[in-house]
Each structure stands twice: as C-alpha cells, then as structure tokens.
Amino acid sequence: MSIKTEATIEDLYHLPDNFKAEIVNEKLVLMSPTGFLPGRAGGEIYRSLRDYECLKKSGYALSLLAFG
C-alpha cells in the first residue's frame, strides 16, 4: 500500500530562510536563484525610481529586498 502525500502551504512556511519554492502538481518544487542579470536589471530599475523620487521630492522608491 502506498501513501500519497501532497504539499501544502504549511510546507512553504517551513522552508529555511532564503529558500524559494512553489507547489506544482501537489509537489513542493524548489526555485533556483535568478542570477546576475535579473538582479542587475532590478537594481537599475530601483536606481531610476530613486532618481525620480529625488527629482520630484515626493514618494519613496523601495527595492524588492525591502519586502523580503
């Protein structure tokens, strides 16, 4: 007899820090880090928003790391 276990939201909460995963077809699938180029692109977007914030003296530019 086999017992089928399905991944749950609770499994996602129990991942170590800095690990990312999603549930696909009822299985927990770990996500690979995105790497250099997407990180650099995100940094450029943040810098552009920060420059605009300073120019307009209004609003706040936040990086995605602020929400980590």
Side-chain angles (χ1 to χ4, degrees):
M1 178 166 98
S2 80
I3 299 174
K4 182 180 178 189
T5 59
E6 298 173 354
T8 66
I9 298 296
E10 282 298 314
D11 296 322
L12 293 175
Y13 288 128
H14 293 342
L15 288 172
D17 287 344
N18 299 322
F19 273 73
K20 293 185 179 186
E22 60 182 274
I23 297 173
V24 178
N25 296 326
E26 302 172 348
K27 295 181 181 173
L28 192 65
V29 178
L30 294 178
M31 307 296 290
S32 298
T34 57
F36 172 77
L37 289 177
R40 179 154 171 86
E44 290 296 317
I45 292 168
Y46 168 76
R47 187 184 67 156
S48 175
L49 290 171
R50 175 79 169 116
D51 290 347
Y52 186 78
E53 172 192 332
C54 292
L55 177 70
K56 295 295 182 176
K57 296 181 179 22
S58 176
Y60 299 95
L62 299 173
S63 72
L64 290 178
L65 296 175
F67 300 103

